[in-house]
Amino acid sequence: MTAISRTSARTAFVLLLALYAGALLWQAWHLSLTFDEPSHLAASYTYWRGHDVLRPSDTPPLMRIVSGWIPLLLHAPLRQDTEAWRSQSSFDIGTEIIEGSGAAGAHRLAFLMRLPFLAFPVLTVWLVWRWARQIFSEGTALAVALGVVLEPTLLGHGALIKSDWPATFGCVLFFYAAWRYWPHPGWKSLWGMILALLVAILTKFTMLALIPVALLLVLWRGPRLAGAAVTLAVVYVGLLAAYQFRIRPVSRQEIQEMESESLSGLELRAARILRRLPWPPQFIAGLRFIGHADRSEIFAGYMLGRRIETSAPGYFPFAWAVKFPIGLQLLSLAGLAVLALRLARREAGAADAFVWGPAALIMLLGIRSHIHIGIRHVLPALPFFVLGAGFAIERLVRRRAGQIAVAVCLAWLAGASAWIYPNGISYFNEWVGGPRTGWKYLSDSNIDWGQNLPELARYVAENNLPSIKLFYFGSDIPWHYVPSEKIVQQAAPWGPEWEKETRFQPAPGVYAISVNTWLGYFFRPPYRDYFAAFKAREPDARIAYSIFIYNVK
């Protein structure tokens, strides 16, 4: 295989990055708001208005910082005389902001708030390419960048007001800085790693798990205790600054409440250490919310036709098996085989550890988690799998047969990504028959996150439907897309106020049912087969894999 020149590789990468940015831009414009986005919109907006008290407190500070100024500049409607405001519910307040903005205003607001988030996938691709160039040849680095760009789940989530892609960027940035620090453990490289660590932990609460990793590296490589003290001090001050220095001591009552929340011994000791310093109340509230969610049944999951409520160690490995593209799976597994070979020959080095180590760490954190609502919770692992594939690509392209194998895998990936675009959220690979049957294996944000209202509106218009009976799973406003006079809004048995019968008896009409609602695993036990009448038959149409259409005569 002819080696690609540095100039040609750079030109090809710039073109690839431009096309990637364009694809993300179109998704930001096209997709309806996903389930959590109005909540993050409200939390970010009120953060910039100096009212950072909304619940739940799980919106990380960097998300608030990068996007909350947009609704402030647009003077988005924020009513303070409603029940939503009195309850300080970010979900309800976000829905009120979207509804009060009108169809055109809400679409403009959502699009503009999504724009800053496009920087995270674009910067991650650039960072992965830069890292790969320092480990592999120019051609392999370009192939790795192409793999990250075309991976459908990464692409599908790239334009959303969510913490998953910021956390992915933060994680890749930290481990790249750590890899650079490892051979040259001086203060200059240490500061680079500390700042990368701070960025990472501001992107998502679960990235706090990187603090022990950083401390171990500092204590092992130096400057040891001084470096560890500086690392902790910078992280602490950075957290306070991100929360606008709105701080107070953790109260004894809060510590007692934490002690009653089934914490482990290590978590209890950490909670008592927290009391020694003042902290932002929203930071503590966010930690408690995530911890409580991980130990309770707040987020019921779904896998292989059953509801998941507590431990399911196989969930994320299974999600990787059915949602990661087969072409990338084969190359990643080949990369693991190369790792085993390099270990056996004692050729493995820092690059192997800092590429495969993060992938293993993130997957292990997912395996021990009790929150099973989408592969997006281990999204930061996916670029590392692609980077790990680079070790195999570098070897395979030395022979003609290997070049063909790599080309086939990448072509397969490109075809799958182009075919599912712009609905990468719903992507499932060919092992399970693709996204058409994905609901049989996983649900929630793996397939249906309320993102396909534009496609529903197009279906209603193209078929000239006088009305549609809608069971929608999501937080967007359906009549911003489908004329309100054509929507008969239906209420599934989400709570006691909507529970009227254990099985729905459909009258004649056209029904549009979101997949998550159709499955019914969110409902209380007597109502989980609420849509049995529809499950007994094939849908008459599918709206981009996340909404089923039934025409009842």
Side-chain angles (χ1 to χ4, degrees):
M1 181 178 180
T2 304
I4 187 171
S5 71
R6 188 181 184 89
T7 301
S8 298
R10 184 173 297 173
T11 302
F13 176 73
V14 170
L15 178 60
L16 176 66
L17 203 62
L19 292 172
Y20 184 52
L24 291 169
L25 195 66
W26 169 246
Q27 284 186 171
W29 175 262
H30 174 73
L31 296 178
S32 53
L33 284 167
T34 56
F35 191 88
D36 295 336
E37 286 185 282
S39 170
H40 296 310
L41 183 159
S44 301
Y45 187 14
T46 54
Y47 171 92
W48 275 78
R49 289 173 62 102
H51 192 79
D52 189 19
V53 297
L54 301 190
R55 296 187 296 267
S57 309
D58 61 331
T59 304
L62 191 61
M63 284 184 63
R64 305 169 193 236
I65 292 168
V66 301
S67 65
W69 56 273
I70 294 171
L72 189 70
L73 286 181
L74 295 177
H75 303 288
L78 182 63
R79 295 183 58 186
Q80 301 184 17
D81 59 347
T82 65
E83 183 57 36
W85 182 262
R86 286 187 286 273
S87 67
Q88 298 292 274
S89 166
S90 60
F91 278 94
D92 295 339
I93 292 171
T95 300
E96 286 186 349
I97 293 171
I98 294 299
E99 187 168 12
S101 298
H107 185 259
R108 178 170 174 252
L109 173 62
F111 174 68
L112 292 176
M113 283 197 70
R114 282 171 167 176
L115 288 184
F117 286 87
L118 305 191
F120 295 108
V122 169
L123 287 172
T124 302
V125 170
W126 172 80
L127 192 57
V128 167
W129 175 69
R130 178 183 174 88
W131 194 352
R133 292 174 76 208
Q134 295 171 17
I135 303 174
F136 313 121
S137 64
E138 292 285 354
T140 298
L142 192 59
V144 167
L146 185 67
V148 177
V149 164
L150 292 177
E151 204 289 319
T153 298
L154 288 171
L155 180 57
H157 287 266
L160 306 180
I161 307 168
K162 283 293 299 176
S163 61
D164 305 305
W165 254 113
T168 301
F169 167 71
C171 194
V172 172
L173 179 66
F174 169 73
F175 281 104
Y176 174 68
W179 176 70
R180 296 287 301 269
Y181 161 79
W182 180 262
H184 307 290
W187 279 103
K188 182 178 179 180
S189 57
L190 175 60
W191 273 107
M193 186 175 71
I194 292 173
L195 294 176
L197 173 65
L198 180 60
V199 169
I201 65 174
L202 293 180
T203 63
K204 199 166 189 174
F205 286 96
T206 51
M207 290 295 106
L208 290 166
L210 298 181
I211 294 177
V213 176
L215 292 178
L216 284 173
L217 289 172
V218 171
L219 291 173
W220 189 352
R221 301 293 289 173
R224 296 187 171 82
L225 291 178
V230 170
T231 300
L232 291 175
V234 171
V235 167
Y236 176 67
V237 175
L239 274 171
L240 301 192
Y243 284 96
Q244 304 168 325
F245 290 100
R246 299 173 185 273
I247 59 175
R248 62 170 174 77
V250 181
S251 68
R252 184 177 297 276
Q253 180 182 349
E254 286 174 312
I255 295 295
Q256 290 172 346
E257 290 172 353
M258 292 181 196
E259 291 173 346
S260 66
E261 290 174 354
S262 303
L263 298 180
S264 67
L266 180 62
E267 289 171 326
L268 279 174
R269 285 193 290 274
R272 294 188 182 110
I273 291 172
L274 287 176
R275 194 163 178 237
R276 300 178 182 274
L277 292 169
W279 295 92
Q282 281 292 77
F283 174 68
I284 298 299
L287 285 179
R288 293 182 61 188
F289 175 81
I290 298 299
H292 179 61
D294 192 34
R295 292 186 297 273
S296 67
E297 301 175 11
I298 293 177
F299 299 115
Y302 172 91
M303 182 172 69
L304 292 171
R306 67 180 182 89
R307 175 184 168 103
I308 305 170
E309 295 181 349
T310 52
S311 177
Y315 179 88
F316 287 108
F318 178 73
W320 184 88
V322 300
K323 285 189 68 70
F324 202 53
I326 293 175
L328 286 180
Q329 284 183 352
L330 295 176
L331 290 173
S332 296
L333 292 173
L336 281 171
V338 171
L339 174 65
L341 182 64
R342 286 167 61 83
L343 288 170
R345 293 178 176 177
R346 298 186 179 181
E347 295 174 353
D352 303 83
F354 284 98
V355 168
W356 287 112
L361 173 64
I362 296 159
M363 291 299 289
L364 286 172
L365 289 173
I367 286 169
R368 65 145 297 279
S369 171
H370 291 171
I371 302 176
H372 305 106
I373 55 176
I375 193 174
R376 63 187 179 85
H377 284 286
V378 292
L379 202 75
L382 302 189
F384 289 103
F385 280 110
V386 183
L387 257 174
F391 289 100
I393 294 172
E394 188 79 348
R395 286 177 174 254
L396 286 169
V397 297
R398 296 172 186 171
R399 298 178 180 273
R400 181 64 176 171
Q403 294 171 18
I404 294 172
V406 171
V408 168
C409 287
L410 292 178
W412 192 351
L413 169 65
S417 187
W419 177 70
I420 194 71
Y421 179 83
N423 296 302
I425 288 174
S426 303
Y427 177 78
F428 284 79
N429 62 35
E430 293 81 0
W431 295 132
V432 293
R436 186 179 177 87
T437 56
W439 61 268
K440 296 179 180 179
Y441 305 94
L442 296 170
S443 191
D444 210 280
S445 61
N446 290 303
I447 189 167
D448 170 23
W449 219 6
Q451 72 273 16
N452 291 128
L453 288 177
E455 286 84 358
L456 177 63
R458 185 166 62 248
Y459 178 84
V460 171
E462 288 176 352
N463 290 274
N464 197 27
L465 297 178
S467 67
I468 192 165
K469 300 180 180 183
L470 177 63
F471 289 91
Y472 171 62
F473 176 88
S475 301
D476 209 338
I477 311 299
W479 48 91
H480 282 178
Y481 302 86
V482 180
S484 58
E485 64 272 14
K486 290 194 173 189
I487 297 178
V488 179
Q489 189 82 357
Q490 301 282 288
W494 295 103
E497 64 272 34
W498 296 291
E499 293 172 354
K500 296 177 181 177
E501 53 190 354
T502 56
R503 292 198 176 189
F504 181 66
Q505 303 299 321
V510 179
Y511 291 82
I513 312 174
S514 294
V515 166
N516 284 333
T517 309
W518 182 84
L519 287 168
Y521 64 96
F522 285 109
F523 306 150
R524 294 196 305 114
Y527 302 91
R528 288 178 189 163
D529 208 19
Y530 187 70
F531 292 108
F534 294 117
K535 291 178 182 179
R537 54 179 284 190
E538 279 289 309
D540 295 295
R542 288 175 168 83
I543 307 298
Y545 313 109
S546 72
I547 302 174
F548 291 164
I549 301 292
Y550 294 92
N551 190 354
V552 179
K553 303 295 186 181

